[in-house]
Amino acid sequence: MKKALIIEDEILAGRRMAGLLATVAPDFEIAGYCDSIESAVAFLKKQTPDLIMLDIQLGDGLSFEIFKQTEVHSPVIFTTAYDEYVFRAFELNSIDYLMKPVSKEALEKSIVKYRKFHDQLIPDRQLMSGLMDQSEKMYKQRFLVSSGASLLSVRTAEIAYFFSVEKSVFMMTNAGKSYDLDYSLDKLETVLPDKEFFRVNRQFLVSINAIKRISVLSKSRIKIVLEPDFKEEVFVSNARSREFRLWLDR
């Protein structure tokens, strides 16, 4: 069953809308009733209904305020006794704007619009999900390294950071073991998830989990302490300091 939220400050009008919806769209059930901006915001912060029936004039103000106080991801059918808000309504998630008293025929047409909207939305979401899955699969899950005469497979989750010394690149694991790699840091940036790894300067590409401490020395001068510890001090380059702050705050 699909879920519908009715936002209406008049009890009888809300019940009438629920009855109409049950008649023209029996695959819907009422997820809840809200009679104010405050109660609607509280509801929408916790739940995302499939459809919202929204009266514009509520007891504590115009319902447009709801969209300012929380994100609304559901399609909306506005209902009102006034036509002066139609343009504002269609700037939001509106699929229709019905004048009160709402007739069965008018609501039927709105539900048809909703179903067309919903049928288009689902494939788009599935496509986006598929693209995201493919994107995740592009990241390396493990690295093959040499340890004497042996070969080891090191999982990406076990890596603390990568660093370069002269023209060589090394991997440092969480266990404090280092291995040389046949990769450049530039190449590593393209095969590692940017949510987990950040290129702090030309020499270091670090995991978020390897950052033990951060010291802000000035607006654009940031020092980081890594774990396992590195023998030299590590600084975020001035050019990347702002981006580094944003990365930490994701």
Side-chain angles (χ1 to χ4, degrees):
M1 294 285 284
K2 295 183 178 66
K3 307 286 187 181
L5 172 65
I6 295 178
I7 303 176
E8 168 64 67
D9 63 343
E10 296 181 9
I11 296 176
L12 292 179
R15 289 177 179 173
R16 180 176 182 276
M17 182 59 66
L20 281 176
L21 190 60
T23 301
V24 304
D27 56 327
F28 274 91
E29 63 180 6
I30 305 304
Y33 294 89
C34 296
D35 61 0
S36 65
I37 293 170
E38 182 180 3
S39 61
V41 169
F43 183 99
L44 292 170
K45 283 184 176 180
K46 296 178 180 179
Q47 299 185 49
T48 302
D50 297 289
L51 176 66
I52 299 174
M53 303 296 301
L54 180 56
D55 184 22
I56 290 181
Q57 291 193 320
L58 300 174
D60 54 350
L62 297 180
S63 60
F64 299 121
E65 186 65 27
I66 295 170
F67 296 83
K68 297 178 182 179
Q69 296 187 26
T70 189
E71 292 187 12
V72 179
H73 300 290
S74 309
V76 178
I77 296 176
F78 283 95
T79 62
T80 183
Y82 307 91
D83 61 3
E84 60 192 276
Y85 305 110
V86 62
F87 294 111
R88 289 184 66 183
F90 280 103
E91 289 176 353
L92 302 170
N93 301 25
S94 175
I95 57 174
D96 215 344
Y97 186 98
L98 302 181
M99 298 296 296
K100 290 183 176 181
V102 177
S103 67
K104 175 184 173 183
E105 293 74 18
L107 185 57
E108 281 179 328
K109 291 179 181 179
S110 295
I111 294 300
V112 169
K113 290 182 181 180
Y114 164 81
R115 297 196 192 284
K116 288 181 180 179
F117 173 85
H118 185 266
D119 290 345
Q120 292 174 351
L121 185 62
I122 294 301
D124 288 346
R125 284 178 174 170
Q126 291 173 342
L127 175 61
M128 183 60 68
S129 177
L131 291 173
M132 291 176 67
D133 290 343
Q134 290 178 23
S135 177
E136 290 293 330
K137 292 175 184 176
M138 289 173 59
Y139 296 131
K140 281 189 69 66
Q141 302 297 312
R142 59 189 64 85
F143 289 83
L144 186 65
V145 298
S146 299
S147 178
S150 303
L151 293 176
L152 298 175
S153 181
V154 180
R155 292 184 299 112
T156 301
E158 299 177 63
I159 301 170
Y161 51 87
F162 301 87
F163 62 97
S164 64
V165 177
E166 296 181 352
K167 294 184 178 181
S168 298
V169 172
F170 299 86
M171 163 204 301
M172 178 67 75
T173 68
N174 297 328
K177 296 182 179 180
S178 64
Y179 303 95
D180 62 323
L181 289 176
D182 190 22
Y183 280 85
S184 68
L185 289 181
D186 289 342
K187 177 62 177 178
L188 286 169
E189 279 190 277
T190 67
V191 298
L192 293 168
D194 58 4
K195 291 182 179 180
E196 302 294 330
F197 289 86
F198 187 86
R199 181 80 173 271
V200 295
N201 55 40
R202 288 188 296 177
Q203 187 183 2
F204 282 89
L205 177 62
V206 305
S207 165
I208 183 69
N209 298 315
I211 300 175
K212 182 179 180 180
R213 187 167 62 253
I214 302 171
S215 299
V216 179
L217 306 180
S218 68
K219 186 176 181 180
S220 59
R221 185 70 166 166
I222 300 174
K223 175 184 173 181
I224 61 174
V225 176
L226 299 173
E227 189 173 15
D229 192 26
F230 191 73
K231 58 185 177 181
E232 299 175 6
E233 292 185 324
V234 180
F235 295 90
V236 180
S237 69
N238 291 348
R240 306 220 67 188
S241 62
R242 182 176 181 277
E243 189 177 350
F244 178 68
R245 292 170 186 261
L246 294 174
W247 177 70
L248 291 173
D249 196 37
R250 276 189 173 183

